[in-house]
Amino acid sequence: MNSPELKIFALEDNAVFSKMLHYILSMDDDHDVKMFINGRDLLYALDENPSVITVDYSLPDMTGEEVILKIKAKLPQVPIIVISGQNDIQTAVSLFKLGVYDYITKEEDIRERLLNALNKIKTKQSLEEEVQTLRQELSNKYEFDNSIIGNSTPMKKVFQMLHKTKNNNITVSITGETGTGKEVIAKAIHYNSNRKNKPFVAVNIAAIPTSLLESELFGHEKGSFTGAIAKRVGKFEEANGGTIFLDEIGEMDINLQAKLLRVIQEREVVRIGGNKVLKLDVRIITATHRDLSLRMNEKLFREDLYYRLLGLPIHLPPLRERENDVILIAKFLADQFTKANGMQKLTFTKEAKEKLLNYHFPGNIRELKAIVELSAVMCDHDIISDTDIQFSSSQDINTLLNKDLTLKEYTFEIIRSFMDRYHDNVATVAKKLDIGKVTIYRYLKEMDTNS
Amino acid sequence: MENSRVDLSYLETFSGGDKILIAEMMERFVLDAPSQLSSVEDSIDQEDWKSAYKNLHNFKSTLNFIAIQEIKDQVLVMEKIAKEETSVSTLKEKYKILFNECKLLVEEIKETLSQ
């Protein structure tokens, strides 16, 4: 981390002390020091944007307090160090209340204290610049064109919708199968909005036990319930000024939905066990792999909440419907993987591309990523051929398990899969599944009847 | 030999022992002290308490890194009188003492510089 150059303005009316101060402040080559003998000249020069200002508390033309207030009004972020001839605690306290960074008296240790304060300011400013740079990088990373790959017809529609989210705070509801990149889209919406320098807070509703979700979302006060040993800031409060992303919203308990609705309607939150009403300015983005209108019909999702959250709906198409995007994304993922691992750039053979295009990707982009990364490791001579691409059956199983089916329906799926695999040979299937042939026939009959 | 009125310990610490800077600061004091004292005297004569306090406070900063504690204390007392606006006559008396002390202080510094 490089120390930034520090532009220091020093206000000191005593000519002798001013010379000394200039000497100390100029000891570091990174310091650009400008001395002032009265408050008026300093205030006039504030347009030059100093990084730090030292102020002598007793001045000829105005009080130190007046100067500080005027600096704060114009440059509220610039740290002010007061250098005073008197060691007066009351003055020091009142100055700290005004937002002064440090109060140093003209004692023998002034040099050490002043340099120490300046070093702290430099470290802080350096960190702030780093945060700003990272924010900018993040923002660039999530530019719509950089973070979302694809020029298929269904994705063009998605891009159109994304651009509609840019200059407003409309609630956005994202739907799509597992692995279609709902969180990436949510982040892209946030980092392309005017909230990009504020927090993006993601909450996976399905991953948090129902009993803890209320506290997670809205926070709690110390002692508000057994186990609340300390105050907790909720995710809504954490996201204030920014965006909250409620992933898997369809999994939220119906009772908690009422509380969420109230928070969204009132735009305010009260921590569990607390009285203080906290005003919220939060953009809400939700996502689900479910059809919420069906959940609503089944009385598992509140109608009023559904319409509150619907806002601008964006549906992410599954990868199998995204035409040639599969190849574009595969190339992007291969580049990303090789860069991260210091490997040579990889190319795909025609056969490899065809193999990818013919696969149905039940796990969508998440599955494609795993396939590409494995093929990048397996391939020789920086070329990915069709034999390097392996579709994992366990991913099919995971997809199957992600469905909400009854035990009987799962059994049907297994029987159907085995019958396909062993070319409808009931004897082999019965042997492989370690059940009787009669049972297989019975299931097949049932399946036939149901269908 | 009379006790020295110069105490360079503050200046030594402040400058990190930079001899050139210490000499420069001593020269600066020789140049600035008379006019600062004159400002103090004028404000006392005019019974302008605010200016007296400001000028004494300013002079205190100048004296701070070069004079012995007794002289600094003298200014501190005068600063308090001016702030509380208690007695012009006391302030005038104390100024005379301060002036003489500073005169001797300047002479001593000049002598040190000429060596």
Side-chain angles (χ1 to χ4, degrees):
Chain A
M1 195 162 55
N2 291 326
S3 293
E5 190 180 86
L6 213 58
K7 192 176 198 177
I8 308 171
F9 279 9
L11 175 55
E12 173 59 62
D13 67 317
N14 182 290
V16 182
F17 193 78
S18 175
K19 188 174 172 63
M20 286 300 297
L21 199 56
H22 186 264
Y23 172 80
I24 294 179
L25 296 174
S26 307
M27 282 169 74
D28 192 323
D29 289 340
D30 287 334
H31 294 178
D32 170 16
V33 185
K34 196 165 183 178
M35 303 300 297
F36 296 87
I37 57 164
N38 61 55
R40 194 198 56 210
D41 290 352
L42 174 100
L43 295 174
Y44 190 70
L46 288 181
D47 287 339
E48 294 171 34
N49 284 321
S51 356
V52 58
I53 302 172
T54 75
V55 173
D56 178 19
Y57 194 60
S58 303
L59 296 165
D61 56 341
M62 55 180 86
T63 68
E65 195 175 314
E66 273 177 277
V67 176
I68 291 160
L69 286 172
K70 283 181 177 163
I71 296 171
K72 281 277 161 201
K74 191 155 189 184
L75 302 171
Q77 304 302 327
V78 174
I80 301 170
I81 300 172
V82 171
I83 299 175
S84 171
Q86 12 177 301
N87 194 356
D88 179 353
I89 292 177
Q90 270 188 332
T91 308
V93 171
S94 65
L95 287 172
F96 281 122
K97 280 184 185 166
L98 290 180
V100 156
Y101 180 82
D102 207 349
Y103 178 85
I104 298 173
T105 49
K106 292 176 178 174
E107 307 283 339
E108 278 187 36
D109 62 352
I110 182 173
R111 170 190 161 119
E112 198 183 324
R113 287 197 56 192
L114 192 54
L115 293 178
N116 199 17
L118 291 174
N119 281 335
K120 278 187 191 165
I121 290 169
K122 270 199 272 188
T123 308
K124 188 170 171 265
Q125 287 183 346
S126 183
L127 286 170
E128 277 169 358
E129 277 175 26
E130 208 172 320
V131 167
Q132 195 52 42
T133 309
L134 288 171
R135 273 199 181 131
Q136 190 54 49
E137 278 175 15
L138 206 57
S139 183
N140 293 342
K141 186 182 163 189
Y142 282 103
E143 278 279 323
F144 292 145
D145 294 338
N146 294 340
S147 61
I148 305 156
I149 296 153
N151 54 23
S152 59
T153 315
M155 281 313 286
K156 279 179 184 159
K157 280 184 193 161
V158 171
F159 279 113
Q160 276 176 3
M161 296 298 265
L162 285 175
H163 284 284
K164 302 277 181 202
T165 68
K166 259 185 160 179
N167 300 316
N168 53 63
N169 289 318
I170 191 168
T171 299
V172 180
S173 55
I174 307 167
T175 52
E177 288 179 10
T178 303
T180 45
K182 294 187 283 292
E183 183 158 349
V184 174
I185 295 287
K187 280 184 181 167
I189 293 169
H190 172 75
Y191 288 109
N192 283 281
S193 73
N194 51 12
R195 295 171 176 260
K196 64 183 176 187
N197 292 326
K198 298 288 180 179
F200 173 85
V201 178
V203 188
N204 188 333
I205 306 287
I208 302 164
T210 307
S211 56
L212 300 179
L213 192 56
E214 186 179 354
S215 156
E216 187 76 14
L217 289 175
F218 312 130
H220 64 244
E221 293 293 344
K222 186 181 175 183
S224 54
F225 53 84
T226 312
I229 52 169
K231 180 185 91 174
R232 187 194 174 95
V233 170
K235 295 291 181 189
F236 268 93
E237 207 178 324
E238 208 179 294
N240 214 357
T243 304
I244 191 163
F245 173 52
L246 302 173
D247 199 4
E248 300 296 0
I249 188 75
E251 312 308 306
M252 185 178 272
D253 178 76
I254 192 89
N255 296 316
L256 194 54
Q257 286 176 27
K259 291 177 183 169
L260 177 64
L261 179 68
R262 200 195 154 274
V263 169
I264 295 169
Q265 275 175 340
E266 305 299 323
R267 293 273 158 188
E268 58 187 36
V269 69
V270 178
R271 291 188 203 130
I272 302 170
N275 302 315
K276 199 176 157 194
V277 176
L278 304 155
K279 286 281 168 202
L280 290 176
D281 169 24
V282 178
R283 179 183 217 168
I284 299 169
I285 302 177
T286 63
T288 180
H289 68 279
R290 292 182 183 277
D291 183 340
L292 279 189
S293 58
L294 284 179
R295 301 277 287 174
M296 195 171 69
N297 293 339
E298 292 164 7
K299 306 287 178 204
L300 292 169
F301 205 85
R302 290 179 67 111
E303 191 179 352
D304 41 13
L305 183 61
Y306 172 78
Y307 290 113
R308 273 272 168 191
L309 293 178
L310 188 64
L312 182 75
I314 297 179
H315 177 71
L316 297 184
L319 196 50
R320 61 184 172 278
E321 290 173 13
R322 289 178 58 179
E323 306 153 8
N324 200 46
D325 286 355
V326 175
I327 305 302
L328 297 177
I329 299 169
K331 281 181 181 169
F332 171 81
L333 293 170
D335 285 350
Q336 201 179 45
F337 184 77
T338 51
K339 255 186 211 168
N341 292 281
M343 293 161 68
Q344 289 292 315
K345 200 175 164 79
L346 300 171
T347 51
F348 290 83
T349 63
K350 193 181 165 204
E351 292 75 20
K353 288 178 188 173
E354 272 169 16
K355 193 170 178 178
L356 287 173
L357 284 169
N358 289 327
Y359 184 56
H360 61 295
F361 292 101
N364 290 296
I365 299 167
R366 194 175 293 134
E367 183 182 5
L368 176 61
K369 187 170 190 276
I371 291 164
V372 168
E373 288 180 359
L374 180 63
S375 62
V377 173
M378 298 301 287
C379 73
D380 295 316
H381 312 300
D382 310 327
I383 294 168
I384 296 175
S385 67
D386 56 338
T387 52
D388 299 319
I389 293 170
Q390 291 166 24
F391 302 123
S392 165
S393 58
S394 69
Q395 281 158 347
D396 280 330
I397 288 168
N398 281 337
T399 310
L400 175 67
L401 293 176
N402 276 337
K403 293 181 182 172
D404 267 352
L405 301 177
T406 63
L407 186 59
K408 187 174 265 182
E409 285 167 337
Y410 275 121
T411 310
F412 289 170
E413 289 278 350
I414 293 165
I415 301 282
R416 197 174 287 127
S417 168
F418 271 68
M419 289 297 283
D420 284 347
R421 194 181 305 171
Y422 297 105
H423 311 291
D424 295 327
N425 187 327
V426 174
T428 310
V429 171
K431 197 178 171 190
K432 290 282 175 190
L433 291 174
D434 197 22
I435 51 173
K437 281 193 284 182
V438 178
T439 314
I440 301 283
Y441 281 118
R442 185 164 46 81
Y443 277 129
L444 288 172
K445 196 179 172 189
E446 267 190 66
M447 283 156 67
D448 193 38
T449 312
N450 286 353
S451 67
Chain B
M1 191 184 141
E2 203 182 330
N3 284 338
S4 174
R5 285 173 178 77
V6 179
D7 178 3
L8 295 177
S9 58
Y10 183 99
L11 198 48
E12 294 269 3
T13 315
F14 202 103
S15 69
D18 184 335
K19 299 281 179 211
I20 297 168
L21 183 80
I22 294 170
E24 273 181 30
M25 296 308 295
M26 288 164 86
E27 280 170 11
R28 183 92 228 173
F29 179 81
V30 170
L31 284 171
D32 282 8
S35 64
Q36 284 194 36
L37 273 169
S38 170
S39 299
V40 171
E41 188 181 19
D42 287 349
S43 50
I44 295 171
D45 284 345
Q46 287 160 23
E47 295 186 25
D48 181 349
W49 293 108
K50 273 195 177 166
S51 297
Y53 169 72
K54 270 191 181 171
N55 291 330
L56 281 161
H57 184 78
N58 196 17
F59 189 51
K60 191 178 70 179
S61 293
T62 310
L63 275 176
N64 216 17
F65 58 86
I66 211 156
I68 55 168
Q69 193 59 45
E70 286 81 349
I71 302 177
K72 288 193 255 185
D73 288 346
Q74 177 81 358
V75 181
L76 211 61
V77 171
M78 291 173 72
E79 194 186 352
K80 194 167 182 276
I81 294 170
K83 192 177 185 181
E84 291 167 3
E85 303 180 10
T86 43
S87 162
V88 178
S89 56
T90 315
L91 206 52
K92 281 185 176 172
E93 277 167 34
K94 291 202 179 289
Y95 174 75
K96 275 180 199 165
I97 300 167
L98 177 70
F99 181 79
N100 289 329
E101 285 295 317
C102 286
K103 202 173 160 190
L104 293 168
L105 177 66
V106 167
E107 276 168 19
E108 194 181 330
I109 291 169
K110 277 184 182 168
E111 203 179 315
T112 310
L113 285 170
S114 66
Q115 281 168 7

